[in-house]
Amino acid sequence: MQVKKVLMLSLTCMLILAIAGCGSNNGNTAGRNKGNAAESNAATGSNAPKELTKVKVALDWTPNTNHTGLYVAKDLGYYAEEGLDVEIVQPGAAGSDTMVTSGEAAFGISAQEGLTLARLQGVPLVSIAAIIQHNTSGFAAPVDRKIKSPKDFEGKTYGGWGSPAEEAAMKAIMDPVGGDVKKVKLISIGEADYFTAVKRDIDFAWIFYAWTGIEAELRGEPLDMLYLKDYAPQLDYYTPVLTTSEKQISENPDLVKAFLKATSKGYQYAIDHPEEAAATLSKAVPDLDAELVLASQKWLSPKYKDDAPRWGEQKTEVWQNYGDWMYDLKLLDKPLDAASAFTNDFLPAE
């Protein structure tokens, strides 16, 4: 699982264009469905179960252990208990942010980087839960490249996707140790696989350790991992996050609350039972490498909640620090209103 290309300007443009489609009814009929079912049951005296409200959740990438809690909540009936029939879908060409903004999906998985840019462009996305408390991404290189410190990036070739945020992040962790980002060769590798790219074109890349790093371990290809959060506190941001639209929050707050109640139970189960949770994900997505899923889940499960008082909790300073950093670098046209970018209001009580 490589770092998503959430900072591409084309994505932001797509998000803006998608606002016009915000009238879709995915999840917007929750109140009417429940009310109509109740009226029907009362009129007929029937004890038949109420019809579940259909809800679509768009992933940010192909299924992986960032998403395990969703699959657990679906498999163990947590969503059904809350009256929801949840469909988990991959984002396709449009991307999850666009699907949520347009109303095609009620909820989605994104990252703080992309949502920050979207908010500044007037896109009404809101983060409703942090899936992982601390940033588990960073720059990784095969050990034979001898990259033990950000200063060792000098004279090496980095493979990315061409976003100015990549060089900015590299500079943020190089400056404190006396490194010069201008001495790094930056090339775009597009959709190339990390393992192919480091054998062919590059020395290091930006990865999530929970997937690509664990895969490297299983392959017997050890790497040196420099986590962003260890060198620059402002880069310890939330990635990934669960999102919804301002429209969904305004019109269907009970739906948002019910969805998060069940989802929280799913992630808590994955925290407490990583092996069983991994088996659930592998069953739901049999194309995944079961060995990789299990190893990744064992590594990642403790990091979902980490030092937070509850799963999903977000802090204003995390949003503010990252937004201020981007603004100071002129990657944003104006400061971020951090308080409007996220909410903890729909998370279950501790």
Side-chain angles (χ1 to χ4, degrees):
M1 174 177 51
Q2 292 183 328
V3 174
K4 282 289 297 204
K5 301 169 186 178
V6 294
L7 295 176
M8 297 296 287
L9 292 178
S10 59
L11 173 59
T12 304
C13 293
M14 291 169 64
L15 289 169
I16 296 168
L17 291 173
I19 295 175
C22 285
S24 174
N25 286 329
N26 189 290
N28 291 348
T29 58
R32 293 197 298 275
N33 284 350
K34 291 181 179 179
N36 292 342
E39 291 173 7
S40 177
N41 287 343
T44 62
S46 170
N47 290 322
K50 296 178 182 179
E51 183 178 353
L52 299 180
T53 299
K54 293 185 180 299
V55 174
K56 186 180 293 185
V57 182
L59 302 182
D60 55 337
W61 199 247
T62 54
N64 56 71
T65 48
N66 282 348
H67 313 136
T68 305
L70 300 171
Y71 287 96
V72 167
K74 182 176 177 69
D75 184 71
L76 295 185
Y78 297 156
Y79 288 129
E81 289 173 5
E82 298 301 320
L84 307 178
D85 178 10
V86 171
E87 180 186 7
I88 303 169
V89 301
Q90 294 187 43
S96 62
D97 289 350
T98 299
M99 293 176 71
V100 173
T101 304
S102 69
E104 183 181 348
F107 304 98
I109 295 184
S110 185
Q112 187 173 334
E113 312 103 297
L115 198 148
T116 295
L117 280 174
R119 294 290 307 180
L120 267 297
Q121 295 293 334
V123 180
L125 281 174
V126 180
S127 174
I128 54 175
I131 291 178
I132 303 170
Q133 269 300 306
H134 295 283
N135 191 349
T136 60
S137 75
F139 295 108
V143 293
D144 62 4
R145 310 303 158 87
K146 296 181 171 52
I147 297 178
K148 306 295 182 181
S149 159
K151 186 169 175 49
D152 296 329
F153 293 162
E154 293 182 352
K156 301 294 196 302
T157 300
Y158 167 78
W161 59 91
S163 164
E166 294 173 276
E167 183 174 349
M170 207 176 300
K171 177 176 170 58
I173 72 171
M174 291 182 74
D175 283 353
V177 296
D180 182 358
V181 73
K182 297 303 180 184
K183 296 181 180 179
V184 182
K185 182 180 180 181
L186 309 177
I187 68 171
S188 176
I189 59 173
E191 299 292 338
D193 172 76
Y194 166 82
F195 298 99
T196 300
V198 294
K199 289 180 174 65
R200 186 188 64 195
D201 304 310
I202 66 170
D203 296 302
F204 68 109
W206 192 344
I207 71 167
F208 282 101
Y209 193 84
W211 198 256
T212 306
I214 296 298
E215 184 177 358
E217 291 182 14
L218 296 177
R219 286 169 170 250
E221 299 180 21
L223 51 77
D224 287 311
M225 182 77 181
L226 280 62
Y227 293 99
L228 296 177
K229 67 179 180 62
D230 292 343
Y231 295 92
Q234 67 271 29
L235 298 183
D236 189 12
Y237 51 82
Y238 298 120
T239 178
V241 295
L242 271 170
T243 67
T244 193
S245 64
E246 292 180 356
K247 179 181 177 71
Q248 196 72 251
I249 288 174
S250 174
E251 297 184 358
N252 296 289
D254 288 344
L255 174 69
V256 180
K257 187 174 183 178
F259 175 76
L260 272 187
K261 181 179 179 180
T263 302
S264 296
K265 289 177 68 175
Y267 277 99
Q268 188 60 52
Y269 182 93
I271 292 168
D272 296 335
H273 307 283
E275 294 186 8
E276 292 87 345
T280 297
L281 177 59
S282 292
K283 180 179 71 172
V285 193
D287 289 344
L288 294 176
D289 181 334
E291 183 184 13
L292 173 56
V293 169
L294 178 58
S296 173
Q297 195 65 63
K298 287 181 175 180
W299 188 88
L300 189 59
S301 279
K303 295 174 175 56
Y304 288 139
K305 180 180 174 183
D306 208 293
D307 54 359
R310 56 182 169 171
W311 175 84
E313 182 112 359
Q314 301 173 82
K315 297 178 181 178
T316 302
E317 56 263 35
V318 173
W319 283 89
Q320 195 67 60
N321 289 344
Y322 184 73
D324 289 348
W325 175 73
M326 292 189 75
Y327 178 68
D328 290 343
L329 291 173
K330 296 182 171 52
L331 296 175
L332 300 179
D333 294 331
K334 56 184 177 181
L336 172 71
D337 178 7
S340 67
F342 78 97
T343 179
N344 292 319
D345 291 351
F346 299 97
L347 291 171
E350 295 175 42

